[in-house]
Amino acid sequence: MIDTGGITLDRNSPAAELLADSLAEASFHPRLPQQRRLYEAAKAAILQLQLRAGSKLPSSRDLARELGLARNTVIAAFEQLAAEDYVTSVLGSGTFVAHLDAPAPGRHRTGGETAPAPRSALLSKRGSEVTAFAAGARYDILPFAPGDADFAGFPFKLWQRLQNSVWRERRPDLLGMGQAGGYLPLRLAIADYLRGARSVNVAVEQVMITAGTQHSLSLCAQLLADGGDTAWVEDPGYWGARRVFQACNLALRPITVDANGMALEAADLATDPRLIYVTPAHQYPTGAVMSLARRRELLGLAMHKNAWILEDDYDSQLRYKGRPLAALQGLDSANRVLFMGTFSKVLYPGIKVGYLVLPPALIESFKVALDDLQRPGQLMVQAALADFIGRGHFTTHIRKICHLYGARREMLRRILVLHLGPQLGEQVTISGEESGLHLVVELPSHVDDVALAKLAAESGIQIKALSTYYLAPPVRRALLVGYAYVTPDKIAYYGKLLAAIILSGLH
């Protein structure tokens, strides 16, 4: 005798005993109707080979009696199992477990047992390469994590009020996938902002709303290049761009970055890129600013080689000294630059709204691809964001966070200068202070920056080694130290600790 949720019953067959054991487990789908619970129990037993192919099940009358269920409940479960080919019914003979053509999805049968399929058997060669190194994996944010912003100062009440206002308008047109290229008032607001703040030559027709930088890069790679084409990428550079290009089967050509940005050599000039990915206003991760001479050289090469320049303007708003630098796109007279930006750094990552400024010749093709490949939406969010920018809240918010992050940056810099002592300037330098979300602590070439980053992690500090951002063998050693997502009291404590860790690695 067993108890299945208050039902006492006799067990008269192995199949009934097996199913009764599952039904008796308190955690086995407790909220589902009995018909569905019986179906789930039988299906699991069949997939796990506990009920063997060809074995006969008790009749619906007998099983109902043995399990203490209504016969209609058992019949309904049997009918569902038969509809999904788990069992077969033979008139006059009974119901039998079907012979499944293959093991359960993602499993291999080995003598009646199951084992997970290896990842190499599940992914394509390209998929294996793209996922081999989880550079973008997220963990709990610890002090000095580079690239992470502090969202505690986000204007939640204001944002909620703007979104509520949009919803109260009850506009059916905002419930669909949207107009070609995105919500028009938001595109107008972005165009106005970019003309004034970034010196971008833009008409509203050229602005297309995307789901962020990764989405913009993916569209560019899919529409402007074919598998096997070459993409020039900064080295060290942004891992996310490389992943997108790898996923599109592009051949990556790492181009060395120095104090003036992308530095092309004779061997590089001998290749013909289809795409050139750059972060000229604030190179990621070194913080270098591309010189005017390099910008003009790159624009000339793009026109000569029939290449497209993908200008990633990921954090130009976060500048602490002087005005943001003019965009590379503003110098482009041949329409070879695609300019992209995002609201993830200055608002919050989950907003998933970015923009792409297209050369006129590409506008219609990109809008078609956006609709057919991506099925855009989020118009309610876009409408709220348009109001946020149009009413001046965006520039106010930028001013506020720049003041906040600037103070934290200066505090971190002072603490490192104090505790690094005479080693600062002799073996260690600090750069990347004018904009962005992290400092770059340059180290001597013999220092193992990866080992220092691991040592820091043991002390609760999350920094990154510059050498891990290289495609080619690293030529510089440095640590990326974030300051945005860390409060002043923690900057004081962990800054001193970080300086001691850096000094330990110099000897």
Side-chain angles (χ1 to χ4, degrees):
M1 305 281 288
I2 72 166
D3 188 342
T4 61
I7 301 174
T8 302
L9 50 96
D10 293 311
R11 297 194 295 192
N12 298 322
S13 70
E17 290 187 15
L18 179 64
L19 297 175
D21 286 342
S22 294
L23 295 174
E25 295 179 8
S27 61
F28 185 80
H29 304 292
R31 297 184 179 180
L32 291 180
Q34 286 286 22
Q35 165 195 329
R36 185 71 183 184
R37 295 181 77 235
L38 178 57
Y39 157 81
E40 293 288 352
K43 182 178 74 170
I46 293 169
L47 290 174
Q48 295 169 12
L49 305 183
Q50 294 171 317
L51 290 177
R52 296 284 181 170
S55 61
K56 184 178 181 180
L57 297 178
S59 68
S60 59
R61 188 185 304 277
D62 290 342
L63 192 59
R65 185 188 70 252
E66 294 171 19
L67 295 180
L69 300 173
R71 187 184 179 195
N72 285 341
T73 297
V74 177
I75 291 174
F78 275 19
E79 289 177 345
Q80 184 65 31
L81 290 167
E84 297 181 14
D85 296 328
Y86 290 109
V87 300
T88 57
S89 296
V90 179
L91 187 63
S93 298
T95 301
F96 299 84
V97 176
H99 291 270
L100 302 183
D101 294 331
R107 312 289 287 183
H108 297 292
R109 291 178 184 162
T110 54
E113 298 181 356
T114 59
R119 186 173 70 172
S120 59
L122 301 176
L123 300 179
S124 65
K125 179 181 178 182
R126 177 178 61 222
S128 298
E129 291 175 352
V130 169
T131 59
F133 174 58
R138 306 301 297 150
Y139 305 97
D140 291 337
I141 301 177
L142 300 176
F144 301 146
D148 290 305
D150 186 353
F151 307 111
F154 182 76
F156 290 98
K157 290 184 178 179
L158 170 61
W159 184 252
Q160 183 180 35
R161 190 162 65 247
L162 292 174
Q163 290 197 102
N164 289 343
S165 176
V166 173
W167 278 105
R168 281 196 298 270
E169 293 180 11
R170 299 183 181 182
R171 292 175 51 185
D173 61 307
L174 296 182
L175 299 179
M177 291 184 294
Q179 305 151 338
Y183 184 59
L184 181 58
L186 178 58
R187 292 160 57 205
L188 283 165
I190 290 173
D192 288 342
Y193 172 77
L194 293 178
R195 278 192 294 265
R198 303 294 293 112
S199 300
V200 173
N201 293 324
V202 56
V204 66
E205 295 80 12
Q206 295 173 258
V207 179
M208 189 172 77
I209 306 301
T210 69
T213 298
Q214 295 302 106
H215 183 199
S216 297
L217 288 169
S218 180
L219 281 172
C220 292
Q222 291 180 75
L223 298 182
L224 301 178
D226 293 315
D229 283 349
T230 297
W232 285 356
V233 294
E234 298 168 322
D235 201 38
Y238 174 48
W239 59 267
R242 295 173 183 173
R243 293 294 179 269
V244 169
F245 299 153
Q246 285 176 318
C248 292
N249 285 337
L250 303 187
L252 302 184
R253 174 81 184 183
I255 310 295
T256 300
V257 170
D258 63 17
N260 293 310
M262 183 178 274
L264 293 161
E265 300 177 356
D268 303 319
L269 296 174
T271 65
D272 293 316
R274 183 61 176 164
L275 301 179
I276 304 172
Y277 172 78
V278 290
T279 52
H282 184 232
Q283 200 277 330
Y284 188 83
T286 68
V289 176
M290 184 178 286
S291 67
L292 178 59
R294 294 272 180 87
R295 293 177 183 225
R296 292 170 64 88
E297 177 191 26
L298 199 60
L299 290 169
L301 285 169
M303 184 170 60
H304 175 70
K305 292 179 176 290
N306 194 31
W308 297 101
I309 297 175
L310 309 184
E311 180 179 7
D312 185 353
D313 198 58
Y314 67 100
D315 71 350
S316 65
Q317 300 96 338
L318 301 175
R319 188 166 180 83
Y320 312 113
K321 293 182 180 179
R323 289 178 52 82
L325 302 177
L328 175 67
Q329 191 265 8
L331 300 174
D332 178 24
S333 60
N335 288 316
R336 305 304 302 180
V337 177
L338 291 87
F339 180 90
M340 62 189 69
T342 178
F343 292 98
S344 295
K345 294 291 185 186
V346 293
L347 295 183
Y348 60 95
I351 194 171
K352 298 298 291 180
V353 176
Y355 49 88
L356 190 58
V357 177
L358 301 162
L362 298 179
I363 293 173
E364 292 307 316
S365 297
F366 268 71
K367 287 182 178 178
V368 168
L370 181 70
D371 290 339
D372 288 350
L373 297 179
Q374 305 295 339
R375 293 292 189 266
Q378 289 285 76
L379 292 185
M380 289 292 186
V381 173
Q382 291 185 32
L385 181 55
D387 289 341
F388 187 75
I389 298 173
R391 297 178 185 180
H393 303 305
F394 183 65
T395 53
T396 300
H397 179 65
I398 294 297
R399 237 181 351 258
K400 177 181 177 182
I401 61 174
C402 281
H403 176 76
L404 175 67
Y405 297 161
R408 293 179 180 183
R409 173 211 58 157
E410 182 58 24
M411 182 179 182
L412 174 59
R413 190 193 66 80
R414 287 201 313 266
I415 289 175
L416 290 177
V417 168
L418 174 65
H419 293 286
L420 287 174
Q423 298 300 331
L424 189 66
E426 294 182 5
Q427 297 193 72
V428 179
T429 58
I430 299 175
S431 61
E433 300 175 71
E434 294 188 352
S435 59
L437 295 171
H438 68 265
L439 299 178
V440 181
V441 180
E442 298 275 356
L443 304 169
S445 59
H446 69 274
V447 175
D448 188 343
D449 55 355
V450 174
L452 281 183
K454 290 180 179 178
L455 184 61
E458 295 173 3
S459 299
I461 297 174
Q462 186 179 343
I463 56 179
K464 291 185 179 180
L466 179 65
S467 62
T468 62
Y469 287 80
Y470 278 88
L471 267 178
V475 297
R476 295 164 63 183
R477 303 287 176 173
L479 299 174
L480 275 60
V481 186
Y483 46 76
Y485 195 86
V486 55
T487 55
D489 59 319
K490 290 185 177 180
I491 291 176
Y493 174 78
Y494 286 103
K496 180 179 179 180
L497 183 57
L498 176 59
I501 291 171
I502 293 171
L503 290 174
S504 72
L506 300 179
H507 305 297

